[in-house]
Amino acid sequence: DERLAAEVYAWQDKLLPLTARVASQVPVPSLWRRIELALDAASSPSSAARPAPRPVPWWQRLGLWQGLSGAAVAGSLAMGMVLVQRMNAPEPARYLAVLQSPDAGATGWLVEIQAGRQLKLVPVTESPAVPEGRTLQFWTKPQGASAPTSLGLVTVGKTVELPVSQLPAVEAQQLFEITLEPPGGSPIGRPTGPILFVGRTVRL
């Protein structure tokens, strides 16, 4: 049957490369015996008079295990492709800003940013105590922005973590600063007190 033969060859071309990715398995002896009996029955002139062979239990059918093996191989290939894509994906850009006091140049905080993920404001030295009735506020201002954006209040000695989605932008030379403000923060949406620490980001 030429049509059947063509289909067989087509499936061989599709499935044969998969055999190079899995270890070969030795069929159980009973499988070969059943194949021989089936071939003998089909080729014998008196095969029509012979009783039909007993049905093979579903868990012993070769086609079932071939299908399961093929599905497992296909799943492994798909997972491998996903892992390769992740390995080849570029790492998100990372930025660092060193915040220093404008007068003495002492480093007080570090700003660490991973694009698309998270910002960390990390204290690196023991900051002076905040005067009673005042609070620290964290700001950022991208290049070209008309005004800074508040990123919330800061507690001395505490790390601040923010999702990057709260920032107006993430870029090199972006300004970050900490100012001294009234309780609850600036009442006008922009810094009102002195700048205690300031710095700009550099891309790592």
Side-chain angles (χ1 to χ4, degrees):
D1 187 323
E2 293 182 358
R3 181 178 177 183
L4 176 60
E7 291 183 359
V8 170
Y9 293 144
W11 279 106
Q12 285 180 342
D13 291 341
K14 292 180 181 179
L15 300 178
L16 192 58
L18 299 180
T19 62
R21 298 180 178 271
V22 294
S24 60
Q25 300 293 323
V26 179
V28 295
S30 59
L31 173 62
W32 291 119
R33 182 58 182 161
R34 290 199 303 273
I35 293 174
E36 292 172 355
L37 291 175
L39 292 175
D40 290 342
S43 61
S44 174
S46 57
S47 60
R50 295 181 180 179
R54 290 182 300 172
V56 179
W58 66 268
W59 62 85
Q60 294 183 358
R61 293 177 182 173
L62 180 60
L64 170 66
W65 297 109
Q66 287 178 331
L68 292 176
S69 299
V73 171
S76 298
L77 291 175
M79 291 178 64
M81 292 177 63
V82 171
L83 290 175
V84 169
Q85 290 175 352
R86 289 183 178 179
M87 291 174 62
N88 293 334
E91 281 291 319
R94 297 177 61 237
Y95 298 88
L96 179 69
V98 178
L99 305 191
Q100 297 178 311
S101 59
D103 50 357
T107 300
W109 304 76
L110 290 180
V111 176
E112 302 173 359
I113 308 175
Q114 192 164 18
R117 297 187 182 177
Q118 194 175 48
L119 173 148
K120 281 187 178 183
L121 175 66
V122 183
V124 294
T125 59
E126 185 174 349
S127 299
V130 178
E132 186 176 354
R134 305 299 296 273
T135 188
L136 303 182
Q137 192 163 357
F138 186 33
W139 306 84
T140 186
K141 184 175 180 291
Q143 295 188 85
S146 58
T149 299
S150 173
L151 299 179
L153 302 182
V154 175
T155 301
V156 173
K158 299 289 186 180
T159 297
V160 176
E161 296 186 8
L162 299 171
V164 170
S165 58
Q166 293 189 15
L167 276 67
V170 175
E171 61 184 18
Q173 293 302 307
Q174 183 169 342
L175 179 71
F176 286 89
E177 63 185 20
I178 295 176
T179 61
L180 191 63
E181 301 294 340
S186 170
I188 60 174
R190 62 178 183 273
T192 61
I195 298 173
L196 301 183
F197 297 96
V198 63
R200 292 185 180 272
T201 55
V202 293
R203 182 165 180 169
L204 301 180

